[in-house]
Amino acid sequence: MTSFLDISRDGAIVTLTMNRPEERNAISDVESCDEFVEACRAITADTSIAAVILTGAGASFSAGGNLKKMRDRSGFAPRENPIATRNSYRRSVQRIPLALYDLEVPVIAAVNGHAIGVGLDLACMCDIRIASDKAVFAESFVKLGIIPGDGGAWLLPRVVGMSKAAEMTFTGDSLSAEEAKACGLVSKVVPHDELMPEARALAGRIAANPATALRFSKRLLREGQHVRLDTLLELSAAFQAMAHETEDHREAVDAWLEKRKPVFRGR
């Protein structure tokens, strides 16, 4: 079987494309999860990368799990063994939110089609979500008699608020792209053919900034979701002290004063 993730790079921008369109980019095997984890590890380690785009090949972003494997108990849920299933989730799909949500580099989800179940939660693991006007979203686990096993119950309320997250989780109802924008699930909806150009343009505006400041800023946004203000201020002071000593900071100040475009070197 081909790799689940197609990885391409353009300068400081990496694009991760879920590339099993014949399966609607469903995530249903340990190898797919391993690819996500390894990609996140490699991107974090490469300080020349400043932005990431996550999207899907074909008509779907990701349709979630593979229902045939779910029926045959050949996916993450071994046959009639709850303990084995619990451990399977821990070793497989639950590694993705830990890797993708904590990826140091800003991540844009370019949602090109169906983002269902795990697919929706994948989008919520990203920092920014933009959608094709053909996109459809659903936290649909309950319709299959299961629950969000990939961290969706933690992720979704932080994106759309508790009331909307509860409505989506308890009903499993689908949202159109415009409905997703109205509740803050995505920040922008664009015509389908303009999705990737829009994502690349946004990634380019992000990558134009100093890489160290971007990574520090993302970490502060993440930590700010669950720590006290005084704790975040202490962390901000520490990050700011390091940022002030970077060459890119000095270049940014000089360029601003000299009314020229800065040249950042990631140092």
Side-chain angles (χ1 to χ4, degrees), residues 70-199:
M70 198 175 296
R71 178 195 61 196
D72 299 339
R73 305 300 291 268
S74 60
F76 299 138
R79 186 175 299 277
E80 297 177 2
N81 189 333
I83 295 175
T85 297
R86 183 186 188 192
N87 289 332
S88 174
Y89 269 78
R90 287 170 165 174
R91 291 193 303 266
S92 56
V93 71
Q94 289 189 350
R95 297 172 63 213
I96 296 178
L98 294 173
L100 186 56
Y101 185 82
D102 285 335
L103 179 59
E104 288 188 1
V105 177
V107 184
I108 301 163
V111 184
N112 54 298
H114 290 85
I116 309 299
V118 175
L120 170 61
D121 294 342
L122 273 173
C124 291
M125 296 170 203
C126 301
D127 303 291
I128 302 168
R129 288 159 296 280
I130 62 175
S132 155
D133 55 7
K134 295 183 179 181
V136 178
F137 302 83
E139 188 78 338
S140 57
F141 298 93
V142 71
K143 288 188 175 296
L144 297 174
I146 56 176
I147 54 91
D150 59 351
W154 190 91
L155 292 157
L156 190 58
R158 285 167 166 77
V159 175
V160 300
M162 184 57 75
S163 179
K164 189 63 177 180
E167 177 187 331
M168 293 175 66
T169 302
F170 299 157
T171 66
D173 289 347
S174 298
L175 301 181
S176 68
E178 288 297 338
E179 289 171 325
K181 181 182 177 184
C183 71
L185 180 56
V186 301
S187 56
K188 182 178 290 188
V189 176
V190 300
H192 184 74
D193 291 343
E194 297 177 15
L195 177 64
M196 290 310 295
E198 182 70 25

Side-chain angles (χ1 to χ4, degrees), residues 13 15 28-29 34 54-55 58 68-69 100 129 138 146 158 166 192 210 217 221 239 252 258:
I13 301 167
T15 300
S28 56
D29 56 63
D34 289 343
L54 176 64
T55 192
K68 291 181 180 178
K69 287 187 176 182
L100 186 56
R129 288 159 296 280
I146 56 176
R158 285 167 166 77
H192 184 74
S217 296
L221 287 172
F239 282 2
E258 296 166 11

